[in-house]
Amino acid sequence: PWSRGLGDVYKRQQHTLDLAADQWRVLDQAHRKRNLAEYEGDIDVDDQLLEALIRVADLIADRQQR
């Protein structure tokens, strides 16, 4: 199934991106909220999560440019 395939992608990215556990939790929480919005219409914008997600995304972008 799709969800299992996505889990495999995340597992491979853990080794490639070398993010800390708390950074992975931010990505996971954002992904779960995205799914709730997409599949259940539950849109809950969390400013703190959004700020953390932007910080993690910036870190990933910086690492990709090296």
Side-chain angles (χ1 to χ4, degrees):
W2 168 253
S3 62
R4 183 175 38 180
L6 188 57
D8 291 342
V9 169
Y10 281 143
K11 288 177 188 175
R12 285 191 295 272
Q13 287 179 343
Q14 284 179 314
H15 301 293
T16 304
L17 297 176
D18 192 33
L19 296 176
D22 61 322
Q23 294 164 328
W24 280 110
R25 282 191 290 276
V26 168
L27 294 176
D28 182 60
Q29 187 177 6
H31 181 72
R32 290 173 189 266
K33 282 190 171 275
R34 185 224 92 48
N35 282 348
L36 284 173
E38 176 73 20
Y39 302 120
E40 298 180 23
D42 182 12
I43 299 174
D44 176 27
V45 177
D46 179 337
D47 290 337
Q48 188 174 1
L49 175 60
L50 180 58
E51 290 171 8
L53 183 59
I54 291 169
R55 283 192 302 272
V56 174
D58 285 343
L59 176 67
I60 292 169
D62 288 344
R63 289 182 179 179
Q64 295 299 314
Q65 291 178 0
R66 289 187 209 162

